[in-house]
Amino acid sequence: MAAAPEDERGTNVIGGSTHLYGPTVQARDVHGGIRIYSSAPDRVPTPRQLLPVPAHFTDRAEEQAALDRMLRTRADDGAPQPLIVINGPAGMGKTTLASRWLHTHAPAFPDGQLYADLRGHVENGPANPGEILGQFLRAFGTPVVPADLAEQASLWRSVTAGLRIAVMLDNAFSAAQIRPLLPGGSGGLVVVTSRSRLTGLAMDGARFHRLRPLGSAAGLELFIRGAGEDRVADELPAVREIVSLCAGLPLAVCLASARLAARPGQPAASLAEELAPDEDRLTVLEIEGAGTVQKALDASYAALGPRPALLYRALGLLPVPSFDVHTAAAASGRTPAWAARRLDELVEANVLESAGPETYRFHDLVRVHARDRATATLTGTERERITRRVTDWYLWTATEAQRLITPIQLTLPRTYAHPAPWSAPFSDDRAALDWLDTRRAHLMAVLRLAAERGWHATAWQLVDAMWPLFLRMRHYDLWIEAHRTGLEAARRDGHREAERQMLNSGAIGLSAAGRTEEAAEWYTASLRAAQEAGDRRDEGQALLGLGGCRMAAGRFAEAVSDLERAVETWSGCGYPRGVALARILLGEVALAEHDHGRAIARFTLAREGLLAVSDPHDAARALAFLGRAHARAGDHVKGAAQMREALATFTASGAAHWQARTLEMLADSARERGDATAASEFRARARDLYEVTSPADARRLG
């Protein structure tokens, strides 16, 4: 039998429960490219800088003053929320300047500072605006994010309307990528960095600042900070020549200074000779200063010892934008302790930067150079071994997370070319879920790589291991994409049990995202596959899903037929919880058809069955509907009491969606008995919760 969607999977066919984890905004998501810092009450303490500012950073006072003038001008004009675009070539220091400048203005934005890497010029970019919006919204406590980009943007503007926040959108690709990410209200600030000018944002009120190359004095200061004043005191003419050869690019200056500092016996003049222009270039990048960076990177790479050079090449092959010690260890085939030492050496050599707690990343140009070095020095077999080790590391760790969070659902096999030789980086289910969530972009990148390379078993196994992430965090876009990929991989692998699993789990995601017609197609395929395999448990799951889809479409007779078949199927194979879940849906159909007596009987049986299998959440769902049925039948006192009891359960568990659903039921019941004041109060409370969990329902309530 396929690892049938257990427990919540049956529930979520009709929307399921969601959990509001509270309004706390934390510094998190560094692996997904998002960092959030806030000092708002009930959020987190003191605001901090968006990005680590390198020790070699030069203040660029004139540039910061120009940004200050832009900010003041917008404030004096009473214009809407400021939008500032900092553009310039790669390696110019746009990110560092924006981060440092925003840090100086942190007190003006007490509700937090947010950072997102839009990956405008990397191999797996640019980032989809919906991906970034989902991460921003969840950081502000939104437990369920709509699948539609327009709804996401609308909810984002609503959530931020009254907040004073600063948002840094780094490495942007286009104006269209930026617009959905603009927050609401007028008390915030958005800073965009890009290699492109993004003049299309002028219609959104943007002000533009073209970042200039460092002047000779600033470049000399930056170089001396990196190499050390004593190191270059007697060689300033040669140092000035080096700075000149770096063409005012801070990245090149930092690399050159680190190169000289690493070789105390090398004269500065000899480094200047190494950096002199020749025929070598970063030919894959046609941008300003590429040749300069190529020479600086070549020199820095030559200064690396064999061990850090090995890791440098391996990291250049990764499909993920950032990495931690364990990922580096997997890439290198060494221990985490070995990888930690090599990462420190690469940071010291200025070819790697810290991107957050225990997280590292390359500058885009450095990543290109590292990949080029790997291509030039490693065989195809060696390169594949590196990427396969990293893919297996993510699969193994995600599987360990699944084992902690939803152990009953871990029934499908796992196969590894390179099993992980060390323990997982978490020890409980909360930490395991956090690992999955903060690395969801990485997991998707690895999944795409596995599918592209034809590692079909690895691909569907990875999707299966990500189930707790989809179930708990509701990333609908990733949920659906992953299962499309996983379904194709399972079919190519010829694994029928995995194919049914992908169909069932994927259909739940489609249904929860409101794509009921497509979900019904997947459930139909799942039903057919389950019947061919003689898997009664999966057959019942598919029938339940089909019943939910047809009920949502108003095709009640068909829904009842499917649901009664699900009851019969699950009764025959001994799955009482499934029987109870089907009875909830049967009760909803009876309620919609105004057959209150039948609805009461079905909800009562469903609640009893769910209490018997220790499922308090779904028992509360049955109780809420039971209360509504009693109220519709005229027993308002009993009905309201049952709905309030269910509401208390949902409130205690943080199930925001079902709080809203129950409040809406209470509002309708109050209106029917003529209590307009109570109806208005319940409706307003439901609408407020729907604003967070379901904007479409919030609009429906007006």
Side-chain angles (χ1 to χ4, degrees), residues 84-416:
I84 295 174
V85 178
I86 301 173
N87 54 51
M92 192 63 74
K94 301 180 293 295
T95 298
T96 301
L97 171 66
S99 300
R100 182 64 172 259
W101 181 68
L102 281 172
H103 181 50
T104 66
H105 289 277
F109 305 103
D111 293 318
Q113 299 189 27
L114 294 85
Y115 167 89
D117 181 358
L118 302 188
R119 308 195 304 274
H121 299 277
V122 299
E123 189 175 5
N124 65 337
N128 186 299
E131 172 190 340
I132 305 300
L133 277 174
Q135 295 174 15
F136 276 172
L137 286 166
R138 290 183 185 90
F140 275 93
T142 304
V144 176
V145 175
D148 180 71
L149 178 61
E151 285 197 5
Q152 290 175 348
S154 175
L155 179 57
W156 171 237
R157 289 191 295 270
S158 175
V159 166
T160 56
L163 299 179
R164 290 181 293 165
I165 60 173
V167 179
M168 179 173 164
L169 302 174
D170 193 22
N171 198 16
F173 181 73
S174 67
Q177 190 187 28
I178 295 298
R179 289 193 180 100
L181 305 177
L182 299 178
S186 58
L189 166 67
V190 178
V191 178
V192 179
T193 72
S194 179
R195 297 182 195 176
S196 305
R197 293 184 180 271
L198 302 185
T199 52
L201 289 175
M203 69 177 65
D204 301 280
R207 299 292 180 93
F208 300 88
H209 181 73
R210 181 73 173 174
L211 191 56
R212 300 168 298 171
L214 292 174
S216 57
L220 181 62
E221 177 190 358
L222 182 59
F223 189 96
I224 291 172
R225 287 185 185 181
E229 187 171 356
D230 294 341
R231 174 73 175 81
V232 300
D234 298 330
E235 300 182 90
L236 290 181
V239 169
R240 289 191 177 93
E241 183 180 356
I242 293 171
V243 171
S244 176
L245 289 168
C246 289
L249 290 175
L251 174 63
V253 173
C254 288
L255 288 167
S257 64
R259 169 75 172 83
L260 193 65
R263 294 193 172 185
Q266 181 184 28
S270 69
L271 177 58
E273 291 178 7
E274 292 179 26
L275 292 175
D278 59 19
E279 297 302 317
D280 296 330
R281 292 293 183 267
L282 263 178
T283 55
V284 294
L285 294 174
E286 296 179 0
I287 59 172
E288 304 161 58
T292 296
V293 175
Q294 171 76 62
K295 295 303 297 178
L297 283 167
D298 284 346
S300 295
Y301 176 74
L304 296 175
R307 292 177 178 178
L310 180 154
L311 182 59
Y312 180 80
R313 295 189 298 268
L315 295 176
L317 296 172
L318 300 190
V320 295
S322 60
F323 28 82
D324 58 15
V325 169
H326 287 90
T327 307
S332 61
R334 302 299 197 276
T335 67
W338 184 96
R341 289 193 294 272
R342 303 294 86 79
L343 288 168
D344 287 343
E345 292 176 68
L346 293 175
V347 170
E348 188 66 23
N350 255 13
V351 295
L352 202 63
E353 61 184 14
S354 173
E358 300 181 0
T359 307
Y360 305 85
R361 69 177 182 184
F362 284 125
H363 184 282
D364 292 350
L365 299 185
V366 183
R367 181 185 299 279
V368 170
H369 185 270
R371 187 179 63 237
D372 286 350
R373 289 298 84 212
T375 301
T377 60
L378 301 176
T379 67
T381 300
E382 289 171 328
R383 295 196 300 273
E384 178 165 316
R385 186 181 300 119
I386 289 170
T387 53
R388 191 61 190 264
R389 280 198 303 257
V390 171
T391 301
D392 278 355
W393 157 248
Y394 275 99
L395 172 60
W396 182 84
T397 312
T399 298
E400 291 304 297
Q402 183 186 25
R403 195 186 310 279
L404 283 169
I405 303 167
T406 55
I408 197 170
Q409 293 158 5
L410 182 55
T411 61
L412 292 177
R414 298 289 186 264
T415 54
Y416 304 99

Side-chain angles (χ1 to χ4, degrees), residues 563-582:
L563 294 169
E564 287 180 343
R565 287 173 62 196
V567 169
E568 179 183 355
T569 300
W570 274 333
S571 295
C573 69
Y575 183 40
R577 183 178 179 280
V579 171
L581 292 173

